[in-house]
Amino acid sequence: MARQATLSFSPESIASLNNSRNYENGPTGHNMRGMFPGLKKRGHNIGSRSWILIDPNGDSKIVELDKFTVMRRCSLPSRDLRLLDPLFINPSSILGREKAIVVSLEQIRCVITSDEVILKNSLDGSVQQYKSELCKRLETSRDQYDDLPFEFKALELALELTCTSLDSQVKELELEIYPVLDELASTISTLNLERVRRFKGHLLALTQRVQKVCDEIEHLMNDDGDMAEMYLTEKKEKRDNLTISDSSDHINTSEDVKIVSKSAPVSPVGSSSGVNKLQRAFSSMSSSKHGSLLSSSSGQENIDQLEMLLEAYFVVIDNTLNKLLSLKEYIEDTEDLININLGNVQNQLIQFELLLTAATFVTTVFAVVTAVFGMNFEDTVFENPNTFNWILIVTGVFCVVLYLAFFMYFRHKKIIPL
């Protein structure tokens, strides 16, 4: 006869159960999610975003993937995915990982693996251009022989579109700013100065973006280890070959164990110890083989292909950077010319002020003399009516000579140009 299971509940457990139900339903008996409609259950597509998957055949599709799925799919840490977030303004960077290349160049943000490209789905023109151009090139190269791996084709297109976009922006800035600078050099006005100030801020921001891309490419070219990490197809083939060789060694070892067990009867202790020895030998052999393969791959990695690819686009982005530096120097030369013109005008105002001050002093001397003799007091000078006229003439001549003396002194000291 089967026993019946009985459950006993204590008053404390029943009270805690009721409290938990009340907390879930809320103080008014309704569900807490009814009070906060924005709340979502955990695990229901949190962080899911739209991605574009492009395979080596040039086929693309749009899928919804969350952050953790992308991390597991590409073996990436979470900090690398922050570079792909369009809500954050991150500087341009190219990171080589074990199974993927993380590319964040201007508007093109994607993860490149040996089998696919995971691209942020966006309505931005650069993203759509990258998608269409990559699919077109992959479809074209499918019928043609091309020794460039899939990951390098995707990386090359990202570098090409980024360098082309930055160069076009620099050309547009040159077409806008050169006429304004020429006009400012001839006519200094507040409107022209404001326009140049705005263009100068745009130039500074664009220079920083181009400089970051140039530094990132140069950093990759100088680090052979980072370039070796980007050979994803070659590393995948080596991992597959290593897995096949390990599985074949495991089969051969198991067959040897069977042969040994059938050939001679041994004691149970001895047989188990023999199997353990064989297993230890197999593990040590596989680990040594794995280490030798990795060391040979890292020591003899041919990175010339990627280095030439990076060098070609480094020349392009460096030329763009030189255009920006030349434009910056032209702005600085224009500013120097404006400062020279302003200094010249200021010097002319100072010279005019000196001449005006000297004339004021001479006029004051003439006015003082005439005022003294024009006072109402008795003097023999006033007995002859023409005497006062001679006083005015002599005072005027003296003032003119004094003014000429000031003027000659200024020219002697080179305060006034000859």
Side-chain angles (χ1 to χ4, degrees):
M1 184 175 179
R3 294 183 180 179
Q4 294 181 351
T6 60
L7 298 175
S8 61
F9 296 96
S10 62
E12 292 81 2
S13 62
I14 295 175
S16 62
L17 180 61
N18 292 330
N19 291 332
S20 62
R21 289 179 178 175
N22 293 331
Y23 176 76
E24 181 181 0
N25 295 329
T28 60
H30 299 285
N31 198 310
M32 291 296 290
R33 289 189 295 272
M35 296 177 59
F36 301 98
L39 292 178
K40 294 181 180 180
K41 289 184 178 180
R42 180 175 295 179
H44 287 268
N45 296 330
I46 295 179
S48 295
R49 290 183 179 175
S50 180
W51 301 82
I52 302 175
L53 299 185
I54 305 175
D55 60 8
N57 295 325
D59 300 328
S60 63
K61 60 181 179 179
I62 299 176
V63 296
E64 294 288 335
L65 299 176
D66 59 0
K67 181 175 69 174
F68 302 103
T69 303
V70 177
M71 289 168 56
R72 289 193 302 268
R73 194 184 187 109
C74 305
S75 299
L76 293 176
S78 60
R79 65 177 180 272
D80 290 345
L81 292 183
R82 294 191 185 98
L83 299 175
L84 307 179
D85 196 342
L87 299 178
F88 293 97
I89 301 176
N90 297 308
S92 299
S93 59
I94 303 174
L95 304 177
R97 300 307 184 199
E98 180 63 26
K99 296 182 180 180
I101 300 175
V102 181
V103 178
S104 176
L105 295 174
E106 295 295 318
Q107 301 299 326
I108 301 175
R109 302 184 181 187
C110 60
V111 179
I112 304 172
T113 65
S114 58
D115 300 326
E116 61 186 0
V117 174
I118 304 177
L119 178 67
K120 276 285 185 182
N121 189 13
S122 174
L123 298 178
D124 189 82
S126 300
V127 177
Q128 298 300 323
Q129 184 181 4
Y130 178 81
K131 171 192 170 183
S132 60
E133 186 67 24
L134 181 60
C135 293
K136 185 186 302 182
R137 292 189 182 186
L138 291 176
E139 292 175 357
T140 304
S141 62
R142 185 171 50 186
D143 301 330
Q144 301 175 357
Y145 176 74
D146 190 2
D147 59 344
L148 198 64
F150 168 72
E151 62 270 14
F152 291 166
K153 294 178 184 177
L155 178 62
E156 180 184 11
L157 182 58
L159 290 172
E160 179 182 347
L161 293 181
T162 302
C163 295
T164 304
S165 175
L166 291 175
D167 189 67
S168 62
Q169 293 180 33
V170 172
K171 290 181 179 178
E172 291 177 0
L173 185 61
E174 287 179 344
L175 293 176
E176 291 178 355
I177 200 170
Y178 276 124
V180 175
L181 291 175
D182 294 338
E183 183 179 357
L184 181 63
S186 59
T187 305
I188 302 175
S189 64
T190 305
L191 179 61
N192 291 335
L193 289 174
E194 179 63 25
R195 293 171 64 186
V196 171
R197 185 192 65 83
R198 186 173 64 253
F199 284 135
K200 193 173 181 180
H202 188 194
L203 173 65
L204 179 60
L206 188 58
T207 303
Q208 292 176 352
R209 291 162 52 194
V210 175
Q211 183 69 54
K212 181 56 182 176
V213 176
C214 185
D215 293 341
E216 191 67 23
I217 298 176
E218 186 177 8
H219 171 72
L220 288 177
M221 293 174 57
N222 294 332
D223 197 335
D224 295 342
D226 289 345
M227 286 192 288
E229 285 288 333
M230 294 185 179
Y231 281 79
L232 304 179
T233 303
E234 187 174 349
K235 289 195 297 183
K236 181 183 177 182
E237 293 176 354
K238 290 179 180 179
R239 284 195 301 267
D240 295 340
N241 294 333
L242 182 62
T243 304
I244 295 173
S245 63
D246 290 344
S247 60
S248 62
D249 291 340
H250 180 68
I251 294 173
N252 294 332
T253 305
S254 61
E255 291 178 355
D256 293 339
V257 171
K258 291 180 180 179
I259 293 172
V260 170
S261 62
K262 292 181 180 180
S263 61
V266 293
S267 62
V269 177
S271 63
S272 62
S273 63
V275 171
N276 293 331
K277 290 181 179 178
L278 286 174
Q279 291 178 352
R280 286 195 297 269
F282 167 70
S283 62
S284 63
M285 180 177 61
S286 62
S287 63
S288 62
K289 183 185 294 184
H290 182 70
S292 63
L293 284 174
L294 290 179
S295 62
S296 62
S297 64
S298 61
Q300 300 176 0
E301 191 71 56
N302 185 14
I303 59 175
D304 294 339
Q305 194 176 28
L306 180 58
E307 189 174 7
M308 288 188 294
L309 176 66
L310 294 175
E311 185 176 358
Y313 289 100
F314 177 76
V315 172
V316 176
I317 199 66
D318 187 63
N319 184 28
T320 304
L321 183 61
N322 290 332
K323 290 181 182 179
L324 289 172
L325 295 179
S326 300
L327 187 57
K328 182 181 178 181
E329 291 179 357
Y330 192 82
I331 293 177
E332 292 177 352
D333 293 341
T334 305
E335 290 178 348
D336 293 339
L337 178 61
I338 292 173
N339 292 329
I340 291 173
N341 291 333
L342 292 177
N344 187 23
V345 171
Q346 186 177 5
N347 290 334
Q348 292 177 358
L349 291 176
I350 293 174
Q351 294 169 7
F352 178 75
E353 184 180 2
L354 287 175
L355 295 178
L356 185 61
T357 304
T360 304
F361 176 75
V362 171
T363 305
T364 304
V365 171
F366 182 81
V368 168
V369 172
T370 55
V372 169
F373 285 93
M375 295 178 65
N376 189 10
F377 60 90
E378 295 181 359
D379 195 351
T380 57
V381 177
F382 297 104
E383 293 178 358
N384 189 358
N386 295 326
T387 305
F388 187 73
N389 294 332
W390 283 104
I391 293 175
L392 295 178
I393 293 173
V394 172
T395 305
V397 171
F398 174 77
C399 290
V400 171
V401 172
L402 183 61
Y403 184 78
L404 292 176
F406 277 119
F407 185 77
M408 296 302 296
Y409 176 78
F410 292 152
R411 295 189 62 177
H412 176 69
K413 293 296 183 180
K414 298 181 179 180
I415 298 176
I416 298 176
L418 299 176

